[in-house]
């Protein structure tokens, strides 16, 4: 019988972002105090698990989220650039639900093709790099479990690909809440199941939970 390997893909915790910007790949964005509590909560949740490898996106918020998990298992934290946030032309700008960004003529040229999408890194490119990162984590933890810390959009896109859903979507409907775990179970080298849990759900503001209706003036960095 083929070995079973489990790869948990975790979204980072809440970020300190008082300007409400879509921070994307910009450096210097760290977890808020609440985000650190989320990271600790997930580390506690995963403490009994057979985790032998922890890896994160190189961005600060991802590394800070992964650190408590690695420390709980006495592991060094690795980084993998393939787990990074998706590239986005609106990076560094206030761009979100209810702010009028979609009505600004200067933005229209970036919004012509939601299927690719035209405003950022193509969905298929995200699939390729994320599948590569998951496979590398699976190989590093073969027969055990791994944790990969990444970002909302790449996690949702690779899950959608594995579950054979279309890649273009309404970003408000992503099931990938802050500090959530999207879990891929491998039998040998093949993914045989996908699961989803929210160990820090009670710490997440209600309007940021998976499937919640966005609040005008709330967090604008969906996809982060």
């Amino acid at each position: 019988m083929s070995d079973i390997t489990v790869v948990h893909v975790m979204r980072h915790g809440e970020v300190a972002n008082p300007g409400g910007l879509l921070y994307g790949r910009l450096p210097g964005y760290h977890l808020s105090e609440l985000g650190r509590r989320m990271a600790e909560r997930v580390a506690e949740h995963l403490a009994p698990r057979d985790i032998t490898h922890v890896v994160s996106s190189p961005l600060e918020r991802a590394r800070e989220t992964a650190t408590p998990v690695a420390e709980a298992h006495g592991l060094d934290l690795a980084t993998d650039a393939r787990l990074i946030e998706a590239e986005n032309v609106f990076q560094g700008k206030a761009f979100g639900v209810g702010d009028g960004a979609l009505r600004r003529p200067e933005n229209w040229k970036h919004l012509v093709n939601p299927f690719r999408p035209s405003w950022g890194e193509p969905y298929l490119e995200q699939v390729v790099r994320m599948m590569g990162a998951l496979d590398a984590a699976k190989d590093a933890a073969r027969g055990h479990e791994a944790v990969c810390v990444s970002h909302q959009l790449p996690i949702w896109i690779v899950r959608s690909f594995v579950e054979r859903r279309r890649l273009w979507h309404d970003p408000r409907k992503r099931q990938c809440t802050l500090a959530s775990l999207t879990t891929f179970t491998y039998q040998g080298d093949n993914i045989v199941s996908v699961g989803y849990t929210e160990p820090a759900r009670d710490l997440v503001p209600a309007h940021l939970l998976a499937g919640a209706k966005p609040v005008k003036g709330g967090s604008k960095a969906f996809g982060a």
Side-chain angles (χ1 to χ4, degrees):
M1 181 176 179
S2 298
D3 53 288
I4 299 296
T5 307
V6 177
V7 178
H8 306 279
V9 186
M10 180 181 177
R11 184 184 173 193
H12 61 79
E14 185 190 62
V15 175
N17 182 22
L21 301 181
L22 199 161
Y23 34 77
R25 295 180 175 180
L26 293 174
Y29 282 86
H30 298 268
L31 293 183
S32 65
E33 177 58 34
L34 178 58
R36 288 190 286 273
R37 287 170 57 200
M38 291 176 180
E40 292 288 350
R41 171 70 62 78
V42 178
E44 293 171 5
H45 173 79
L46 292 173
R49 308 290 301 201
D50 182 26
I51 292 168
T52 61
H53 181 66
V54 181
V55 60
S56 85
S57 154
L59 295 174
E60 294 98 330
R61 58 191 185 272
R63 289 189 283 110
E64 291 166 3
T65 299
T67 295
V69 179
E71 290 179 346
H73 291 86
L75 299 171
D76 292 330
L77 174 61
T79 58
D80 188 331
R82 292 173 293 188
L83 294 170
I84 201 167
E85 173 63 293
E87 195 172 29
N88 193 309
V89 298
F90 298 111
Q91 175 177 288
K93 300 178 181 179
F95 186 91
V97 176
D99 68 0
L102 298 179
R103 296 192 295 272
R104 298 173 193 157
E106 65 271 23
N107 290 335
W108 293 349
K109 63 184 178 181
H110 300 302
L111 302 171
V112 295
N113 185 359
F115 307 104
R116 183 178 183 265
S118 52
W119 55 83
E121 182 183 10
Y123 292 138
L124 285 176
E125 291 184 12
Q126 294 179 54
V127 168
V128 170
R129 65 176 173 85
M130 288 294 288
M131 287 299 295
L134 267 61
D135 282 345
K138 174 258 299 174
D139 290 340
R142 189 174 290 275
H144 303 278
E145 301 186 28
V147 176
C148 303
V149 180
S150 187
H151 307 266
Q152 187 191 60
L153 179 56
I155 297 171
W156 181 247
I157 289 300
V158 74
R159 177 181 171 184
S160 296
F161 174 78
V162 170
E163 295 184 329
R164 300 180 183 274
R165 286 193 302 275
R166 68 188 187 197
L167 301 184
W168 62 274
H169 62 282
D170 182 340
R172 297 168 296 183
K173 297 181 179 179
R174 296 172 189 156
Q175 189 184 42
C176 191
T177 295
L178 290 166
S180 61
L181 295 171
T182 300
T183 300
F184 300 84
T185 299
Y186 288 79
Q187 184 171 1
D189 293 322
N190 299 312
I191 296 173
V192 294
S193 69
V194 180
Y196 176 79
T197 54
E198 297 176 356
R201 182 182 177 88
D202 62 306
L203 299 178
V204 179
H207 69 283
L208 295 178
L209 289 169
K213 183 177 180 181
V215 175
K216 185 175 181 180
S219 175
K220 297 175 180 178
F222 51 72

